[in-house]
Amino acid sequence: MDARFTDEQDEIRRALRELLHKRCGPEDVRAAVGRAEGHDPGLWTALSEQLGLPGLALPEAYGGVGCSSTEVALAAEELGRALAPTPFLATAVLAAPLLLALGNDAQRADLLPRIAAGGLTAALAVPGTRLGTALALTGTDGGDWAGGGRAGGIQARHTGQGGGWRLYGEADQVLDGHSAGLLLVPAHTGGYARSRVLLFLVAGDAAGVVRTRRTALDATRSQARVQLREVHAELLGTDEDTDIRPALASLGDSVAAVLAGEAVGAADRALERTVEYVKQREQFGRAIGSFQAVKHRLADVYVAVRAARSAAYYAAWATAQGERAGGLALAQALEALRTAAGEGIQLHGGIGFTWEHEAHLYFKRAAGDELLFGPVHRLRGHAAATAGLFERAEVRV
C-alpha cells in the first residue's frame, strides 16, 4: 500500500475544500437545511458542473470521472468537514453503484449520465428502519428487513401485463427521499415458495407515492418516509430470479468506507474549532488552552482522530483492492467524531450548549449516523463475527 496521495487526489481535496469554504459556511448550512429540498440546489449544481462530484466513481462512458473509492472517500471527508447537506451520499454512494452493477444497458444509458451531470438525484428506499442490516454492516437476518413474505416491508407483485410490477409498503428512513427524482426500492416477492428480494425503479413523482420529510436528529442529513400504494415500478435489470441481497451486502463495505472518511472530516473540523476557541477564551487571566487538563483532553481527541483517519484511508484503499475493512473503519471514525464533538461542546462552555452555535451539529451527525447505520459496538461485533474471531478453534496438545 502506497500511503501517499497522487496529485489528482490532492487536487480533488483542494478544489472541493475551496468551493465549500465559499459556498457552505455555518450560515449557509442552516439556510440549506431549512429549504424544502433539505439542501442548496445551487451548491449541488456547482459541485456537479465544476467538480463532477455526482459522477466521481462512474465510468467515463456514462459521463463520470472514473475515479476509485479512494477519491470518493477523500471527497466525502471534505463534505464532512463542512457538514455539507447534499444528495451526495444518497445519489452517488448508495444509488449510483447499484444502477451500475444491476441495471441493464438501456437503464444505465438513460439514468447514469443524468446522475453524473447532477440533473437527477436518487435515493435507496430500504423498507422500515433497517438500512444498516440491508447493507450487512450490523448483521444479516435472511432478508427479514425486506418483509420476508409477511406483512410489513415492501411487497411486489407481477401484474402480468407486459411485465409490469406493482409495489405496496413503506420505508421510514430514506435519505433525501422527499426530494429525489428517482427511488430505488428493494421489495420482497415470491412469497415463501420462491422468496427473493428484487430492486425496482420508481419515479419520485409517480402516482401512489406519498413522501413526507421527517424531522431528523441530524438536520444536515435529510430523511423522509416514503409510502407506496400500488405504485407502478420497473424492475432494475432483466433477471426476475436474481436476489439483490448479496449486491446490497457487497455495496455496504464501500459505503462504510465513504462514511468513515466523512466522519473523520467532521471530527477533524470539530477538533480544529475547539482548539481555536481554547486559544482565545481566557480564564484567570490566561487562555484556557494553556491549562494542562485541557491539553490532555484535546491530546486524547487528536490521537483518536488521527487513528480514525488512518483506518478510514486504509478502508478506502482496501475497498478498491476488493478487501473488506469498511465496517471497522466506520466504527472507529464514528467513535472519534462522537468524542471530538462531545469534548468540543464541553470545552466551549456555555455557548457550546446553545442552538445558535454549530457545535451541536457535529455531535448530532455522529449520533444520527449511528442510528442510521448501526451503533459502534454492533459494527465492530459484526465485523469480528464475519472474520471468525468468535469461532472456537480446536486446540491440540
Side-chain angles (χ1 to χ4, degrees):
M1 173 184 177
D2 187 352
R4 295 173 297 179
F5 291 123
T6 65
D7 292 340
E8 182 184 42
Q9 291 169 341
D10 285 331
E11 180 61 21
I12 290 174
R13 301 178 71 184
R14 183 198 62 79
L16 187 52
R17 184 173 298 192
E18 287 183 358
L19 179 58
L20 292 173
H21 179 72
K22 296 176 182 177
R23 299 285 302 269
C24 200
E27 294 305 317
D28 298 311
V29 170
R30 292 180 182 274
V33 298
R35 298 176 62 98
E37 301 91 342
H39 64 272
D40 180 5
L43 174 62
W44 183 241
T45 299
L47 291 171
S48 304
E49 295 180 351
Q50 298 180 27
L51 302 178
L53 191 64
L56 198 59
L58 290 177
E60 295 181 14
Y62 297 112
V65 183
C67 292
S68 70
S69 56
T70 301
E71 286 77 18
V72 178
L74 292 176
E77 182 180 355
E78 297 304 320
L79 293 172
R81 284 179 58 86
L83 293 183
T86 70
F88 177 73
L89 177 61
T91 299
V93 180
L94 287 169
L98 290 172
L99 291 171
L100 181 63
L102 302 176
N104 57 42
D105 292 340
Q107 290 167 338
R108 289 195 292 262
D110 175 43
L111 299 173
L112 292 180
R114 294 159 59 193
I115 287 178
L120 176 66
T121 57
L124 178 63
V126 171
T129 58
R130 309 293 295 278
L131 182 57
T133 303
L135 295 174
L137 294 176
T138 56
T140 57
D141 59 4
D144 285 347
W145 57 266
R150 300 182 297 275
I154 298 177
Q155 305 298 323
R157 64 180 180 85
H158 203 290
T159 63
Q161 302 173 359
W165 292 83
R166 294 282 178 177
L167 305 185
Y168 190 92
E170 180 179 300
D172 284 331
Q173 292 178 329
V174 184
L175 295 175
D176 293 308
H178 64 291
S179 61
L182 177 69
L183 300 174
L184 275 69
V185 185
H188 185 272
T189 187
Y192 291 104
R194 298 180 63 242
S195 176
R196 61 197 188 281
V197 180
L198 304 178
L199 194 60
F200 297 90
L201 303 175
V202 176
D205 57 356
V209 176
V210 179
R211 305 190 288 179
T212 306
R213 185 178 178 183
R214 302 185 62 184
T215 300
L217 175 64
D218 178 12
T220 64
R221 187 92 82 192
S222 296
Q223 298 179 34
R225 174 181 290 113
V226 177
Q227 296 174 309
L228 307 170
R229 302 172 179 174
E230 293 296 328
V231 175
H232 174 72
E234 176 186 352
L235 178 67
L236 181 64
T238 56
D239 191 349
E240 298 180 4
D241 294 321
T242 300
D243 195 304
I244 57 96
R245 282 173 287 190
L248 285 176
S250 177
L251 173 66
D253 196 69
S254 61
V255 171
V258 173
L259 285 168
E262 187 185 69
V264 164
D268 188 56
R269 182 55 183 151
L271 175 60
E272 284 181 4
R273 291 186 58 83
T274 306
V275 171
E276 291 169 0
Y277 178 77
V278 299
K279 288 180 179 179
Q280 300 170 1
R281 175 74 167 89
E282 292 189 357
Q283 192 174 29
F284 306 115
R286 54 190 287 194
I288 63 173
S290 65
F291 295 119
Q292 190 175 46
V294 174
K295 290 180 179 179
H296 285 175
R297 292 173 70 170
L298 291 176
D300 289 340
V301 175
Y302 176 80
V303 171
V305 173
R306 294 294 295 182
R309 174 177 281 114
S310 296
Y313 287 173
Y314 175 78
W317 174 84
T319 300
Q321 309 303 313
E323 300 179 18
R324 298 182 64 86
L328 282 176
L330 178 58
Q332 188 158 357
L334 289 179
E335 188 172 55
L337 174 54
R338 186 173 56 192
T339 300
E343 290 288 4
I345 290 174
Q346 291 286 331
L347 293 175
H348 272 82
I351 66 169
F353 291 87
T354 62
W355 182 261
E356 291 75 18
H357 199 276
E358 55 267 23
H360 68 96
L361 296 177
Y362 289 90
F363 189 84
K364 288 177 179 177
R365 170 58 65 88
D369 277 1
E370 287 197 57
L371 289 173
L372 278 170
F373 301 100
V376 169
H377 71 277
R378 289 190 62 194
L379 289 167
R380 284 181 172 149
H382 179 61
T386 302
L389 296 184
F390 300 140
E391 295 179 1
R392 288 190 175 185
E394 182 180 352
V395 179
R396 296 183 178 181
V397 179

